[in-house]
Amino acid sequence: MASHAQDRIDPWGSVCIDDLEKLYTRFGIERITPSIKKEFSGNPFFSRNIVIGHRDLSTLIRAKKRGKPFYCMTGIASSGLFHLGHKVVIDLVLSLKEYGARVFFAVADIDAYVSRPDKKVPSIQKAKEYAIENLAHALALGVDERDVYVQSRMPSRYYEFAFELSKKMTENEYKAIYGHLDPGKMSAVILQIADILHPQLEEFGEPMPGIVPVGPDQDPHIRFSRDIAKRFRNRYGFFAPGGLYLLHMPALRSGDKMSSSKPETAVFLNDTSSEAARKISNAITGGRKTLKEQKEKGGEPDKCRVWALLRYTLESDSQLLEIREKCLSGGIMCGECKRLASERVGAFLDEHHKRLEKTRKKAEKMVLG
Amino acid sequence: MASHAQDRIDPWGSVCIDDLEKLYTRFGIERITPSIKKEFSGNPFFSRNIVIGHRDLSTLIRAKKRGKPFYCMTGIASSGLFHLGHKVVIDLVLSLKEYGARVFFAVADIDAYVSRPDKKVPSIQKAKEYAIENLAHALALGVDERDVYVQSRMPSRYYEFAFELSKKMTENEYKAIYGHLDPGKMSAVILQIADILHPQLEEFGEPMPGIVPVGPDQDPHIRFSRDIAKRFRNRYGFFAPGGLYLLHMPALRSGDKMSSSKPETAVFLNDTSSEAARKISNAITGGRKTLKEQKEKGGEPDKCRVWALLRYTLESDSQLLEIREKCLSGGIMCGECKRLASERVGAFLDEHHKRLEKTRKKAEKMVLG
C-alpha cells in the first residue's frame, strides 16, 4: 500500500516528474515518436521535447487527416499571477489551434475557489478577480475570445452535466486516484471533467477526439476523464479525451518549476522588463566556478535555468542549438546568455503590457458580464 | 461506534421514526408547544399532531409578527409517482404560504438523477419525465407556478452557489452525517443545501428566516444546512434555516409509510377512484375479529390505517373526533369508515384528474422549456 501511494502521481502536489521513463512504462503515457514529431514539424514544443508524451494523440491525428473535427481543451484556474510557465501552455494551445483544433478555453473561477485554500482564495469574488487578471493575460497572449468560456457564466446544461458525471464516479476509485474525498476538491474534479468532456455534447460541440495539454502530474485527471467518458459512451457517443504532457518551465532559482507562490522562481507577465532582467541575472546557470574553468571545460546547459528559459522562448531552433554548442565548448559565458534572455523576455513583456491595456476591460466584461 | 451508527437518523433509509421522544431528547428537535398550536390555530397539521416538531420555528414566527419576510422551501425529487403522502407535504406548504411564507418549490430533477440508483432513474432525461409528471400533480394540488423553479434550468449563480457551499463541508463531518462519501449522492446533498439556502441570496431573495418541512428522517439535512449557513453568515448574512417535522402518511398495508415502490401501500394521485376504493377496502384497520366483539370492545383507531387516512384528509377536526369516539365505543364498523374514506378520496381524485389535464402541458413547458 505504501509503495502504491508513492507511485501515485499526485495532481495536488507541485513536484516535477523527472523520471520520464516511469511515465511511459508504469503509467502508460505514450512516447512522442519520430512520426509524431514529423506530423507536428515546425512546432517547437514537439521539436524541443517540451511535449514529452501523450495519450491518444493518434486518434486526433487520424481525425485531422480525415477532415473530421477535434478539439483542444485547456483553462486557467489561478489563485496567483500568470508567469512565463503559463504562457508556455497557452502557446502550445495556440499551436494546436493552428494545427486545426477547436479550442475550448475555460476560465475556471469556480474551480479556483473550491479547490484552493481559503487563505489563497477566500471567496468566489476573489476567484473572479484572479480570473479577470489572468484572462486579460491570456487574451493578450493571443487566445481568441470566441474560444473562451467562464465557468460561472455557463448555461445550466453545463452544470447539469457536471452533476451528471458525478453519478458515475465511485467513492473507492475516487479515493484511490486523488487520495481524499474532500467535498470542495471533489467539486473541482467534477467541474474539471465537465470542462474536458462538455465540448463533446451536442449543446456545446459534438462527439470528437480531443486533447488536453497538462503537466504529467495532472495525468490522474486525464485517466479519470477517460474512464468517465467511457461510462457515458452509450449515452453521448463520447471519445475518450487524450492527453498531451509537457514539462513545466523550470524555476529560475530554487524549486522545480516556476511557481506563483515563489516570486523569485518565475518571471511574471506583470513584471517590468527590468524586474525580469534582475530575476534572470540571479538565475541558476550551468556555469563553472571561474571563467577560466568555463572556457576550458565548457558550461552545463542541462543544469542551466537560463538555457531552459531560452529553450522555452526563443523562436529559432537553430539559434538555440548554436548557443548550446557554444556553451558546451566554452565559447559563450553566462552573462551573455543572461543578456540575451533578458533582452528577449524584456521585449516580449513590453509588447505584452501594451496589449494588456486593451484586454483588461474585455476580460472584466467577460467574467462579470 | 456501532451504537453511534444506530442512533444516526438515516436520510437515505425509509424507516419511520416512531420514537418521537428520542427526537426531542437526543436530536434536539423542539416540541410543538400549545402556544405554537395557537399561533397556527385552524391549521390541521398542527391541531392533529401531524407536525410533530420543529427547529427555529420561533424565529419565523417573530419575523411574521414584525412584518418581516420569511420563507418555506420544499421540493420534489421523485423517482416514482405521487401519492397521498406527497399531497400532505404540499398541503402543509400551502398552509404555510397562507400564513405568509414566501414559497420556493424545487423541481429537483438533477438531484433525483444523481441520488437514485440507475435502475430507478437511468438518465437525466428519465428524471425530467418524473419531474414533469410530478410537477403536473403539484400544480393541480394548488402550487403556484410562480413559486416553482426547476433545478436543471436555474441561472448559473445557483450552481456557482452550490459548488461554493461544498468548499465549507469537510470530509469527516460529511461522512459522520451521511455515512458515505459517494460522489453522486454528495452532489445531491450539495444541491439540496443550495435549494434550502439560495432563497437568502440577493439574486433570489434576501436573508430571512426559513422553514423546511420534512420527515424526521431528513433531519440530518436540516442540521447540516444550518451548520453550513452559519459558515456563510459573514459573507451572506444567512439565517440558519429551520425545520418542520411531519409524520409521513401511514401505509395502507405493510410497511410504515406510503411508498412509491410498494403500490398497495399507497393511493397514487393517478389512481382512479375505483382503484383507490379497492386499496382502501384492503387496508389494515383497527377492527376486531368479529362484529360482535367490535361492538362490545370498540375498535382501535390508533392501529387503523383508514383512520390515519381520514386524519390526513378530512377537512373537519370535529367530524374526525366524532368518528374516533364512535369507533372507540363500538358505534361504527370498519366498512363504514372505508366507505367514507373511499368516497372522500375518490371525490378528490376525480377533481384532481380534471385539473391535471390542464397542468400537464404547463409542467412539460416548465421542465423542458
Side-chain angles (χ1 to χ4, degrees), chain B residues 96-113:
Chain B
L96 292 169
K97 181 169 183 171
E98 206 162 307
Y99 180 74
R102 296 190 196 172
V103 170
F104 291 78
F105 190 97
V107 177
D109 52 352
I110 303 181
D111 177 348
Y113 172 67

Side-chain angles (χ1 to χ4, degrees), chain B residues 31 46-47 67 85 90 151 175 223 244 260 264 355 368:
Chain B
R31 292 167 202 271
F46 287 85
S47 64
I90 287 179
Q151 247 178 6
K175 175 96 179 183
R223 278 185 289 154
L244 199 57
S260 297
E264 289 305 307
R355 287 189 296 265
L368 300 181

